[in-house]
Amino acid sequence: MSKIHVSTIVNGDAVEFLADPRETLLDCLRDHLGLTGSKEGCGTGDCGACSVTIDGRLVSSCLVLGVEAAGKTIETIEGMADGAELHPLQRKFIEHAALQCGFCTPGILVAAKALLEENPDPSESEIRYWLAGNLCRCTGYDKIVRAVMDAAAEMRGAA
Amino acid sequence: MAKDTVNTEYKLVGTRPNRPDGLDKVTGRARYGADMSMPGMLWGAVVRSPHAHAKIKKIDASKALALDGVKAVVTRDDFPTGLTGEDWNLQENSMAGEVALYDGHAVAAVAATSALLAQQAAELIEVEYEVLPHVIDVDDAIKPDAPAIRPGAADHSVSEGFPPNVVRYIDYGHGDVEAGFEAADLVMEKTYLTEATHQGYIEPHACVGQLGADGKGEMWVCTQGHWFIRYMSSAVLGLDVAQLRVTASEIGGGFGGKTTIFMEPLALALSKKSGGRPVKIVMSRAEVLRATGPTASASMDVKIGMTRDGKMTAGKAVFRMQGGAFPGAPVDMALDCAFAPYDLPAVYHEGFDVLANRPKAAAYRAPGSPMAAFAVESLVDEMCRELGLDPIDVRLKNGAREGTKASYGPTYNRIGLVETLEAAKAHPNYSAPLGPNQGRGVASGFWFNYNGDTAVSMAIAEDGTAQVSVGTPDIGGSRASLAMMVGETLGVPYDKVRVNVVETGALGINEPTHGSRATFATGKAAVVATEQAIAEMCRRAAAEWGIEPEAVEWVDGSAQPAGPNAGKFPPMTIAEIAGKMSTTGGPIAGHYEGFPDGVGVSFGTHVVDVEVDPDTGKTTVLRYLVVQDAGRAIHPAYVEGQYQGGAVQGVGWALNEEYVYGDDGRLQNATFLDYRVPVASDLPMIDTVIVEVPNPGHPYGVRGVGETGIAPPLPAIANAVAAASGQRLRHLPMTPPKVLAAIQAGQDG
Amino acid sequence: MRYHTPATFEDAAQIAADCGGVTRFLAGGTDVLVQMRAGAVVPDDLIDIKHIPGVRDIVQTEDGGWRIGIAVSGAELGAHEGLCADWPGVVEGMELVGSTQVQGRATLTGNLCNGSPAADSVPGLVAAGATVTVTGPNGSREVAVADIPTGPGKTVLQPGELISAITLPPRGDRGGDAYQRFIPRTEMDIAVVGCAVNLRLDGDKIAEARVVLGAVAPTVIVVPAAADAIIGTTLDGAALEALAEAAQAAANPITDKRGTAAYRTHVAGVLAKRVAQQAYARAKGSGK
Amino acid sequence: MVEINLWSGLRRFTDGELAIEVEATTIGEALDALIAKHPGLAPVIEAGISVAVDGEITTAGRNIPLRPDSEVYLMRRLKGG
């Protein structure tokens, strides 16, 4: 099984890697590029811990092959902060204690960012349905939803 | 920073600072089990039994070993023999011996140069099985003619003539139960069933293990307790315990399921056989569900006597639980918790720990208590309805208080059940209007809390900042609460304290972050260690001032002359003392090794409103309130988080989560698609009230808060469903088909 | 496993026809990758058809219908105003497939070709009378969506054949469609029962109707008796009861981990009523 | 002397007694004395138990002091999640 050379852009950086065509984008991010912020919780698209965006579209990176990333633009949790400046969602998650173990957090942050880009003023229900594919077993979601709502308000300038 | 508590004697305790590991965890930098790679690392994969019960006749790994890049295969033949007791159970569960005992039981493992290759090699290992009769359900497993799963596994408590799969028997109680039932106006007896559930942590088990021919090894692993991993792996492999060094990664949830070993010894055995190269094993979700930590399933008979005005006169509980093919279903703790919220003149408990062809049950948040609460709190609710009494009033009338003889024997010290009931009753949720097909349920719950082996060291750095080395992995914000308690004691700001979860080589033995013990036990130990360091700093100041150490007191992070010397010298700050420590006697540190006493039990009361769709039987949670006694909330946001998380795990257990087996004994829903944990859109906000009845046994009044919250949801939701639909569900989960069938039966009846 | 990125459907068909072993076409990948991961299907050749020009396009046909490219994701479908206005039932079926993340990748074609009787997007397509273009080594043909699935995991597609486009007919005046499913949670489950209804009104009365059930038989099924129960009515109580009875009579489900046969049969009737009412309301509300 | 309360299932090892007076100043001494009086209790105690002293449950702590008026209950070994 020969490997395929893949060139892509991850968090603004041009990167290259050799992928076995069976490897998922998640495998390639974690094992070839050392970007272990995206997590595997299920491998079947049911938990959302591996959420990334490809060309701006939110996906589960466990359901994308690494070879499909060729020529795309990929954003992961590692690219969410602007240097030392956290994204408002990241800051609000810490302030609201919206994480306990923190394992689902990267995927939820990436998904929530995609939501706020599409809908800057989501209702509680819209947040809950958008994040339904991001399982969290620790928090009961309450503080996560509040943190997203608070970050959205701040980003709208309403905070 | 706003303080939540009315208590103003503290600067830090009761505030909500940002957690110290927050930045790493929102940026993807925090390293969890699967995030570690080591030089020369191989990847491991595990071959698992597809049968619920089968004799292993032959394992042929020749095709796998013939693949280029495959470095080692291990089977049970590679493990030492002659183990006994729980060590033997752990070894047997890590790798099947002569018989595979459940679907998913490991039978072989392989190491190769890539994850894909290891997986491919695992598929090439040929195992010949002779399928044996199996039993899955607890009520089937306890039958006298059930297939005997492990003859000889029963302990001293099991007498001759018991069914073959009963491995432990428990009976205890006090008072005259029959007289109690005689004195009652209403006696009800019902049977309640719960299905096995999984802890459902989102992070699959993962480790990197390395073991050389010299018997020295190291391991990186996601676990609640790395000393447990070290001891158990060493026992299973016959290693000297201290030669294995285990580092706990950040942990992606555990809930009790990561307090024991699964594939960790396999990684070490593969490493040794590969010439000492590190081996990484990461479980798939299917492996997690098939082969790790489910809880027990339960079949429970409960009988209660009550007078017309709601006074309980006696209670009796007979519980049967299966915890897989190994002894250890939490039937004893379930019985202890069953009637714990009540002051009963007479109570009797009887329990059976039963084997079945399922994975070895691991602890899950207040082990046993949720099932017990479901049975007892459902029956109490049924009786309240029958007698037309308010369920909170009945609980207040019978509620355990300080001085009550607990159902499990001893006399309660200061406890906060009544306070939770009163707070629940006063909360607006308890009087919110309900619409058609909606109903409200109430239930209380109990957990002991626990202390356990604890070793902590704290040391003062050259600039007067403090480091605390602890052995309890931070699973939900404990670094924050520990830093707050140390900062409070030391009189320094929160961010001048760094709490490190250190490896096994750095401290004496520590039990895991389990039993709701981290903030209580590690916290108390850290305070004791800090007080030692403070005493040393007072001695250093006294020496400099030329006065007796007893004449120095520690105030707001400084040594100050006290008593007759008060005001004679300016306060000496921690930074000043620390800056000179190399010339005043060397390092300044404190430590604690012991079993911190003073555990305080915890009670909670939940109120839930649901709506039941009468056409489909689907239950929607509309409102949820958790009231629980925290003793004192060090960091209220993380206390609330424990309450909310426990409640939602309970919602899952009550409504949708269950292990589904086919007639072939295979688990049918080993994915998050069909093992249905609650998703964000299933839930409302989870309202919380933190009741604070301080625990006199802790310097800051802490009671453990992690576990109690999962017990009340099961009965509270069942009680709400009964109120909404008019039908009593006595078998969890209350899936739509079950609820609809009950509604239809009710209409027909 | 070999990975191919053909530039035309003809090339894709030819690659598939020439491969001796197990072949899978890759569009959204949300089923194929799960099967690969579980070891259920390990293709020798994986043919990624997203590099074919036009596969991400949604275009209006000359007669006012819609042609949907095979790689259009659920998220893209849901963002298309014209399609959502015409065929809300088709779009909402697709949007129920998986999570937001899955919506970023999953496609109508993939959901259809997976062959699941519980596929959420298929009842809506069948109710709408959608067709697909099937391209093979010997050219293309037009096939009704209803005729594609033949059983759980099975389709009429022959080795070397693939779907190259989906076509929805013109909506026309006074029409409405809807799809709902029953699941135990609010999201993320496979349908225990699904139901789509597409109808057209004449005044207040239903002139034409199509009722389609999912997850109650080896394939999605069209239930003419259920349609007959509401045609000519204003969807009054009696018509709804007759509709439910016809839906329940047509259901022939299995008992499995997701539901019992009796439960699925009952819920088929409940859903048929709810979905018909929604489709009826949409038809009445349509300005056309 | 301090009174040790057993759970009722242990009756069969103690000739029916559920409250046993022993000479002890610590939990360890009490457990040793119990075994000396009723050797049938040895496997139960050695398998691991918890002890409640004045309402507080501990799992180890053989050195925990007992007073003559301490309330002492043997319990099944506790663990947590």
Side-chain angles (χ1 to χ4, degrees), chain A residues 23 26-39, chain B residues 29-44 112-115 206-210 218-222 247 249 276-282:
Chain A
E23 287 177 312
L26 178 62
D27 296 332
C28 294
L29 289 170
R30 291 177 54 83
D31 297 334
H32 299 325
L33 298 176
L35 295 172
T36 54
S38 306
K39 307 299 181 190
Chain B
R29 257 200 324 261
R31 288 175 301 162
Y32 292 82
D35 298 340
M36 174 60 77
S37 294
M38 289 187 189
M41 189 179 82
L42 302 173
W43 293 76
T113 51
S114 76
C207 69
V208 185
Q210 185 275 325
E218 61 180 348
M219 170 161 280
W220 166 272
V221 58
C222 59
T247 304
S249 70
R277 293 177 69 170
V279 174
K280 178 171 180 170
I281 299 182
V282 181

Side-chain angles (χ1 to χ4, degrees), chain C residues 45-187:
Chain C
D45 290 274
L46 188 65
I47 305 168
D48 186 342
I49 47 182
K50 291 192 294 297
H51 294 257
I52 299 170
V55 293
R56 302 283 287 269
D57 296 345
I58 301 172
V59 293
Q60 191 134 33
T61 57
E62 284 178 9
D63 62 358
W66 295 95
R67 184 166 295 120
I68 303 166
I70 51 85
V72 172
S73 69
E76 289 163 339
L77 205 65
H80 194 283
E81 286 180 17
L83 194 62
C84 290
D86 275 6
W87 294 105
V90 171
V91 175
E92 70 198 356
M94 185 63 217
E95 288 187 314
L96 287 171
V97 175
S99 61
T100 315
Q101 288 84 343
V102 167
Q103 285 293 306
R105 292 265 293 171
T107 67
L108 280 172
T109 313
N111 199 224
L112 174 60
C113 292
N114 193 42
S116 167
D120 281 311
S121 75
V122 177
L125 288 171
V126 172
T131 60
V132 293
T133 309
V134 175
T135 300
N138 304 317
S140 294
R141 60 199 164 96
E142 208 63 12
V143 181
V145 168
D147 294 334
I148 294 291
T150 55
K154 296 197 178 98
T155 68
V156 293
L157 298 175
Q158 298 301 306
E161 287 190 330
L162 73 161
I163 290 174
S164 50
I166 292 187
T167 307
L168 282 165
R171 168 68 279 183
D173 292 343
R174 303 284 292 160
D177 75 333
Y179 173 80
Q180 290 180 35
R181 63 174 181 185
F182 180 82
I183 55 172
R185 292 181 291 186
T186 50
E187 274 283 357

